[in-house]
PDB file of all heavy atoms in Angstrom:
ATOM      1  N   ASP A 247      19.811   7.184  19.706  1.00 94.00           N
ATOM      2  CA  ASP A 247      18.417   6.765  19.543  1.00 94.00           C
ATOM      3  C   ASP A 247      18.204   6.039  18.215  1.00 94.00           C
ATOM      4  O   ASP A 247      17.469   5.046  18.139  1.00 94.00           O
ATOM      5  CB  ASP A 247      17.485   7.976  19.624  1.00 94.00           C
ATOM      6  CG  ASP A 247      17.447   8.590  21.013  1.00 94.00           C
ATOM      7  OD1 ASP A 247      17.832   7.900  21.981  1.00 94.00           O
ATOM      8  OD2 ASP A 247      17.054   9.774  21.133  1.00 94.00           O
ATOM      9  N   LEU A 248      18.852   6.530  17.157  1.00 94.00           N
ATOM     10  CA  LEU A 248      18.756   5.861  15.855  1.00 94.00           C
ATOM     11  C   LEU A 248      19.336   4.456  15.920  1.00 94.00           C
ATOM     12  O   LEU A 248      18.755   3.503  15.376  1.00 94.00           O
ATOM     13  CB  LEU A 248      19.483   6.677  14.781  1.00 94.00           C
ATOM     14  CG  LEU A 248      18.867   8.005  14.347  1.00 94.00           C
ATOM     15  CD1 LEU A 248      19.697   8.638  13.244  1.00 94.00           C
ATOM     16  CD2 LEU A 248      17.431   7.809  13.860  1.00 94.00           C
ATOM     17  N   GLU A 249      20.484   4.324  16.570  1.00 95.00           N
ATOM     18  CA  GLU A 249      21.120   3.010  16.691  1.00 95.00           C
ATOM     19  C   GLU A 249      20.231   2.045  17.488  1.00 95.00           C
ATOM     20  O   GLU A 249      20.128   0.859  17.141  1.00 95.00           O
ATOM     21  CB  GLU A 249      22.486   3.152  17.371  1.00 95.00           C
ATOM     22  CG  GLU A 249      23.511   3.962  16.603  1.00 95.00           C
ATOM     23  CD  GLU A 249      23.975   3.271  15.333  1.00 95.00           C
ATOM     24  OE1 GLU A 249      23.712   2.046  15.193  1.00 95.00           O
ATOM     25  OE2 GLU A 249      24.582   3.942  14.485  1.00 95.00           O
ATOM     26  N   THR A 250      19.603   2.556  18.540  1.00 96.00           N
ATOM     27  CA  THR A 250      18.705   1.711  19.339  1.00 96.00           C
ATOM     28  C   THR A 250      17.531   1.218  18.498  1.00 96.00           C
ATOM     29  O   THR A 250      17.165   0.033  18.541  1.00 96.00           O
ATOM     30  CB  THR A 250      18.175   2.492  20.552  1.00 96.00           C
ATOM     31  OG1 THR A 250      19.283   2.889  21.375  1.00 96.00           O
ATOM     32  CG2 THR A 250      17.216   1.643  21.372  1.00 96.00           C
ATOM     33  N   THR A 251      16.948   2.128  17.726  1.00 95.00           N
ATOM     34  CA  THR A 251      15.835   1.750  16.853  1.00 95.00           C
ATOM     35  C   THR A 251      16.282   0.725  15.819  1.00 95.00           C
ATOM     36  O   THR A 251      15.559  -0.236  15.520  1.00 95.00           O
ATOM     37  CB  THR A 251      15.263   2.994  16.147  1.00 95.00           C
ATOM     38  OG1 THR A 251      14.891   3.966  17.126  1.00 95.00           O
ATOM     39  CG2 THR A 251      14.049   2.633  15.306  1.00 95.00           C
ATOM     40  N   HIS A 252      17.487   0.913  15.291  1.00 96.00           N
ATOM     41  CA  HIS A 252      18.016  -0.027  14.291  1.00 96.00           C
ATOM     42  C   HIS A 252      18.189  -1.424  14.888  1.00 96.00           C
ATOM     43  O   HIS A 252      17.862  -2.435  14.253  1.00 96.00           O
ATOM     44  CB  HIS A 252      19.355   0.491  13.755  1.00 96.00           C
ATOM     45  CG  HIS A 252      19.876  -0.304  12.603  1.00 96.00           C
ATOM     46  ND1 HIS A 252      21.226  -0.489  12.373  1.00 96.00           N
ATOM     47  CD2 HIS A 252      19.233  -0.991  11.616  1.00 96.00           C
ATOM     48  CE1 HIS A 252      21.385  -1.233  11.310  1.00 96.00           C
ATOM     49  NE2 HIS A 252      20.202  -1.554  10.825  1.00 96.00           N
ATOM     50  N   GLU A 253      18.689  -1.481  16.106  1.00 96.00           N
ATOM     51  CA  GLU A 253      18.867  -2.782  16.759  1.00 96.00           C
ATOM     52  C   GLU A 253      17.525  -3.477  16.983  1.00 96.00           C
ATOM     53  O   GLU A 253      17.399  -4.697  16.819  1.00 96.00           O
ATOM     54  CB  GLU A 253      19.608  -2.599  18.088  1.00 96.00           C
ATOM     55  CG  GLU A 253      21.091  -2.260  17.947  1.00 96.00           C
ATOM     56  CD  GLU A 253      21.855  -3.326  17.185  1.00 96.00           C
ATOM     57  OE1 GLU A 253      21.629  -4.537  17.444  1.00 96.00           O
ATOM     58  OE2 GLU A 253      22.679  -2.958  16.320  1.00 96.00           O
ATOM     59  N   LEU A 254      16.514  -2.705  17.359  1.00 96.00           N
ATOM     60  CA  LEU A 254      15.179  -3.270  17.536  1.00 96.00           C
ATOM     61  C   LEU A 254      14.629  -3.773  16.205  1.00 96.00           C
ATOM     62  O   LEU A 254      13.995  -4.842  16.136  1.00 96.00           O
ATOM     63  CB  LEU A 254      14.235  -2.226  18.136  1.00 96.00           C
ATOM     64  CG  LEU A 254      14.515  -1.823  19.586  1.00 96.00           C
ATOM     65  CD1 LEU A 254      13.640  -0.637  19.984  1.00 96.00           C
ATOM     66  CD2 LEU A 254      14.265  -2.993  20.529  1.00 96.00           C
ATOM     67  N   PHE A 255      14.868  -3.021  15.149  1.00 97.00           N
ATOM     68  CA  PHE A 255      14.446  -3.415  13.802  1.00 97.00           C
ATOM     69  C   PHE A 255      15.122  -4.725  13.403  1.00 97.00           C
ATOM     70  O   PHE A 255      14.468  -5.667  12.922  1.00 97.00           O
ATOM     71  CB  PHE A 255      14.792  -2.279  12.831  1.00 97.00           C
ATOM     72  CG  PHE A 255      14.209  -2.418  11.442  1.00 97.00           C
ATOM     73  CD1 PHE A 255      13.408  -3.496  11.086  1.00 97.00           C
ATOM     74  CD2 PHE A 255      14.455  -1.433  10.486  1.00 97.00           C
ATOM     75  CE1 PHE A 255      12.871  -3.610   9.802  1.00 97.00           C
ATOM     76  CE2 PHE A 255      13.925  -1.533   9.210  1.00 97.00           C
ATOM     77  CZ  PHE A 255      13.140  -2.620   8.865  1.00 97.00           C
ATOM     78  N   LYS A 256      16.423  -4.805  13.622  1.00 97.00           N
ATOM     79  CA  LYS A 256      17.170  -6.020  13.282  1.00 97.00           C
ATOM     80  C   LYS A 256      16.650  -7.225  14.075  1.00 97.00           C
ATOM     81  O   LYS A 256      16.462  -8.320  13.519  1.00 97.00           O
ATOM     82  CB  LYS A 256      18.664  -5.817  13.574  1.00 97.00           C
ATOM     83  CG  LYS A 256      19.364  -4.890  12.601  1.00 97.00           C
ATOM     84  CD  LYS A 256      20.742  -4.467  13.115  1.00 97.00           C
ATOM     85  CE  LYS A 256      21.663  -5.636  13.338  1.00 97.00           C
ATOM     86  NZ  LYS A 256      23.019  -5.193  13.763  1.00 97.00           N
ATOM     87  N   GLY A 257      16.400  -7.011  15.355  1.00 97.00           N
ATOM     88  CA  GLY A 257      15.908  -8.103  16.184  1.00 97.00           C
ATOM     89  C   GLY A 257      14.535  -8.582  15.739  1.00 97.00           C
ATOM     90  O   GLY A 257      14.241  -9.782  15.766  1.00 97.00           O
ATOM     91  N   PHE A 258      13.697  -7.636  15.305  1.00 97.00           N
ATOM     92  CA  PHE A 258      12.348  -7.985  14.843  1.00 97.00           C
ATOM     93  C   PHE A 258      12.431  -8.847  13.585  1.00 97.00           C
ATOM     94  O   PHE A 258      11.760  -9.878  13.474  1.00 97.00           O
ATOM     95  CB  PHE A 258      11.563  -6.706  14.561  1.00 97.00           C
ATOM     96  CG  PHE A 258      10.125  -6.931  14.197  1.00 97.00           C
ATOM     97  CD1 PHE A 258       9.161  -7.063  15.179  1.00 97.00           C
ATOM     98  CD2 PHE A 258       9.727  -7.000  12.866  1.00 97.00           C
ATOM     99  CE1 PHE A 258       7.821  -7.265  14.854  1.00 97.00           C
ATOM    100  CE2 PHE A 258       8.397  -7.211  12.532  1.00 97.00           C
ATOM    101  CZ  PHE A 258       7.445  -7.337  13.527  1.00 97.00           C
ATOM    102  N   VAL A 259      13.257  -8.419  12.622  1.00 97.00           N
ATOM    103  CA  VAL A 259      13.398  -9.175  11.375  1.00 97.00           C
ATOM    104  C   VAL A 259      13.997 -10.552  11.650  1.00 97.00           C
ATOM    105  O   VAL A 259      13.541 -11.573  11.112  1.00 97.00           O
ATOM    106  CB  VAL A 259      14.270  -8.400  10.361  1.00 97.00           C
ATOM    107  CG1 VAL A 259      14.544  -9.253   9.115  1.00 97.00           C
ATOM    108  CG2 VAL A 259      13.592  -7.091   9.963  1.00 97.00           C
ATOM    109  N   ALA A 260      15.024 -10.595  12.496  1.00 97.00           N
ATOM    110  CA  ALA A 260      15.681 -11.870  12.807  1.00 97.00           C
ATOM    111  C   ALA A 260      14.727 -12.849  13.492  1.00 97.00           C
ATOM    112  O   ALA A 260      14.835 -14.063  13.312  1.00 97.00           O
ATOM    113  CB  ALA A 260      16.898 -11.621  13.691  1.00 97.00           C
ATOM    114  N   ARG A 261      13.783 -12.326  14.255  1.00 97.00           N
ATOM    115  CA  ARG A 261      12.828 -13.191  14.946  1.00 97.00           C
ATOM    116  C   ARG A 261      11.954 -13.951  13.956  1.00 97.00           C
ATOM    117  O   ARG A 261      11.673 -15.140  14.142  1.00 97.00           O
ATOM    118  CB  ARG A 261      11.964 -12.353  15.876  1.00 97.00           C
ATOM    119  CG  ARG A 261      10.850 -13.142  16.573  1.00 97.00           C
ATOM    120  CD  ARG A 261       9.989 -12.240  17.428  1.00 97.00           C
ATOM    121  NE  ARG A 261       8.874 -12.961  18.019  1.00 97.00           N
ATOM    122  CZ  ARG A 261       7.909 -12.403  18.743  1.00 97.00           C
ATOM    123  NH1 ARG A 261       7.946 -11.092  18.970  1.00 97.00           N
ATOM    124  NH2 ARG A 261       6.928 -13.129  19.228  1.00 97.00           N
ATOM    125  N   TYR A 262      11.529 -13.256  12.895  1.00 97.00           N
ATOM    126  CA  TYR A 262      10.623 -13.887  11.938  1.00 97.00           C
ATOM    127  C   TYR A 262      11.351 -14.475  10.727  1.00 97.00           C
ATOM    128  O   TYR A 262      10.751 -15.276   9.994  1.00 97.00           O
ATOM    129  CB  TYR A 262       9.564 -12.878  11.483  1.00 97.00           C
ATOM    130  CG  TYR A 262       8.609 -12.514  12.597  1.00 97.00           C
ATOM    131  CD1 TYR A 262       8.754 -11.324  13.307  1.00 97.00           C
ATOM    132  CD2 TYR A 262       7.583 -13.380  12.967  1.00 97.00           C
ATOM    133  CE1 TYR A 262       7.884 -10.996  14.343  1.00 97.00           C
ATOM    134  CE2 TYR A 262       6.719 -13.071  14.009  1.00 97.00           C
ATOM    135  CZ  TYR A 262       6.876 -11.878  14.688  1.00 97.00           C
ATOM    136  OH  TYR A 262       6.028 -11.567  15.725  1.00 97.00           O
ATOM    137  N   ARG A 263      12.613 -14.086  10.503  1.00 97.00           N
ATOM    138  CA  ARG A 263      13.407 -14.675   9.413  1.00 97.00           C
ATOM    139  C   ARG A 263      14.749 -15.127   9.986  1.00 97.00           C
ATOM    140  O   ARG A 263      15.807 -14.563   9.692  1.00 97.00           O
ATOM    141  CB  ARG A 263      13.639 -13.654   8.303  1.00 97.00           C
ATOM    142  CG  ARG A 263      12.408 -13.136   7.621  1.00 97.00           C
ATOM    143  CD  ARG A 263      11.795 -14.123   6.658  1.00 97.00           C
ATOM    144  NE  ARG A 263      12.623 -14.370   5.489  1.00 97.00           N
ATOM    145  CZ  ARG A 263      12.244 -15.158   4.477  1.00 97.00           C
ATOM    146  NH1 ARG A 263      11.060 -15.759   4.518  1.00 97.00           N
ATOM    147  NH2 ARG A 263      13.039 -15.346   3.449  1.00 97.00           N
ATOM    148  N   PRO A 264      14.736 -16.148  10.830  1.00 97.00           N
ATOM    149  CA  PRO A 264      15.975 -16.582  11.490  1.00 97.00           C
ATOM    150  C   PRO A 264      17.030 -17.101  10.526  1.00 97.00           C
ATOM    151  O   PRO A 264      18.212 -17.193  10.877  1.00 97.00           O
ATOM    152  CB  PRO A 264      15.499 -17.694  12.438  1.00 97.00           C
ATOM    153  CG  PRO A 264      14.215 -18.174  11.857  1.00 97.00           C
ATOM    154  CD  PRO A 264      13.586 -16.975  11.240  1.00 97.00           C
ATOM    155  N   GLN A 265      16.631 -17.441   9.287  1.00 96.00           N
ATOM    156  CA  GLN A 265      17.590 -17.946   8.310  1.00 96.00           C
ATOM    157  C   GLN A 265      18.485 -16.851   7.742  1.00 96.00           C
ATOM    158  O   GLN A 265      19.475 -17.131   7.047  1.00 96.00           O
ATOM    159  CB  GLN A 265      16.862 -18.656   7.159  1.00 96.00           C
ATOM    160  CG  GLN A 265      15.936 -17.782   6.315  1.00 96.00           C
ATOM    161  CD  GLN A 265      14.518 -17.743   6.831  1.00 96.00           C
ATOM    162  OE1 GLN A 265      14.301 -17.598   8.029  1.00 96.00           O
ATOM    163  NE2 GLN A 265      13.539 -17.883   5.933  1.00 96.00           N
ATOM    164  N   LEU A 266      18.182 -15.588   8.052  1.00 96.00           N
ATOM    165  CA  LEU A 266      18.972 -14.475   7.524  1.00 96.00           C
ATOM    166  C   LEU A 266      20.274 -14.283   8.299  1.00 96.00           C
ATOM    167  O   LEU A 266      20.326 -14.502   9.510  1.00 96.00           O
ATOM    168  CB  LEU A 266      18.168 -13.175   7.611  1.00 96.00           C
ATOM    169  CG  LEU A 266      16.969 -13.016   6.669  1.00 96.00           C
ATOM    170  CD1 LEU A 266      16.203 -11.740   7.023  1.00 96.00           C
ATOM    171  CD2 LEU A 266      17.426 -12.952   5.231  1.00 96.00           C
ATOM    172  N   ASP A 267      21.305 -13.853   7.589  1.00 96.00           N
ATOM    173  CA  ASP A 267      22.512 -13.346   8.229  1.00 96.00           C
ATOM    174  C   ASP A 267      22.232 -11.871   8.500  1.00 96.00           C
ATOM    175  O   ASP A 267      22.534 -11.007   7.667  1.00 96.00           O
ATOM    176  CB  ASP A 267      23.720 -13.525   7.308  1.00 96.00           C
ATOM    177  CG  ASP A 267      25.018 -13.051   7.950  1.00 96.00           C
ATOM    178  OD1 ASP A 267      24.957 -12.430   9.035  1.00 96.00           O
ATOM    179  OD2 ASP A 267      26.087 -13.279   7.368  1.00 96.00           O
ATOM    180  N   ILE A 268      21.618 -11.590   9.640  1.00 96.00           N
ATOM    181  CA  ILE A 268      21.040 -10.274   9.877  1.00 96.00           C
ATOM    182  C   ILE A 268      22.080  -9.156   9.825  1.00 96.00           C
ATOM    183  O   ILE A 268      21.798  -8.061   9.309  1.00 96.00           O
ATOM    184  CB  ILE A 268      20.269 -10.252  11.226  1.00 96.00           C
ATOM    185  CG1 ILE A 268      19.412  -8.984  11.330  1.00 96.00           C
ATOM    186  CG2 ILE A 268      21.222 -10.410  12.396  1.00 96.00           C
ATOM    187  CD1 ILE A 268      18.309  -8.894  10.314  1.00 96.00           C
ATOM    188  N   ASP A 269      23.279  -9.381  10.318  1.00 95.00           N
ATOM    189  CA  ASP A 269      24.294  -8.320  10.299  1.00 95.00           C
ATOM    190  C   ASP A 269      24.753  -8.008   8.872  1.00 95.00           C
ATOM    191  O   ASP A 269      25.147  -6.878   8.572  1.00 95.00           O
ATOM    192  CB  ASP A 269      25.504  -8.728  11.147  1.00 95.00           C
ATOM    193  CG  ASP A 269      25.182  -8.732  12.635  1.00 95.00           C
ATOM    194  OD1 ASP A 269      24.398  -7.860  13.073  1.00 95.00           O
ATOM    195  OD2 ASP A 269      25.692  -9.613  13.368  1.00 95.00           O
ATOM    196  N   ALA A 270      24.685  -9.006   7.999  1.00 95.00           N
ATOM    197  CA  ALA A 270      25.127  -8.810   6.620  1.00 95.00           C
ATOM    198  C   ALA A 270      24.092  -8.063   5.789  1.00 95.00           C
ATOM    199  O   ALA A 270      24.452  -7.340   4.845  1.00 95.00           O
ATOM    200  CB  ALA A 270      25.439 -10.160   5.969  1.00 95.00           C
TER     201      ALA A 270
END
Side-chain angles (χ1 to χ4, degrees):
D247 292 341
L248 290 182
E249 296 292 345
T250 299
T251 305
H252 188 212
E253 288 301 317
L254 291 172
F255 190 0
K256 288 167 60 177
F258 185 85
V259 174
R261 175 183 176 185
Y262 292 101
R263 298 285 292 183
Q265 63 270 45
L266 290 173
D267 182 351
I268 192 65
D269 289 324

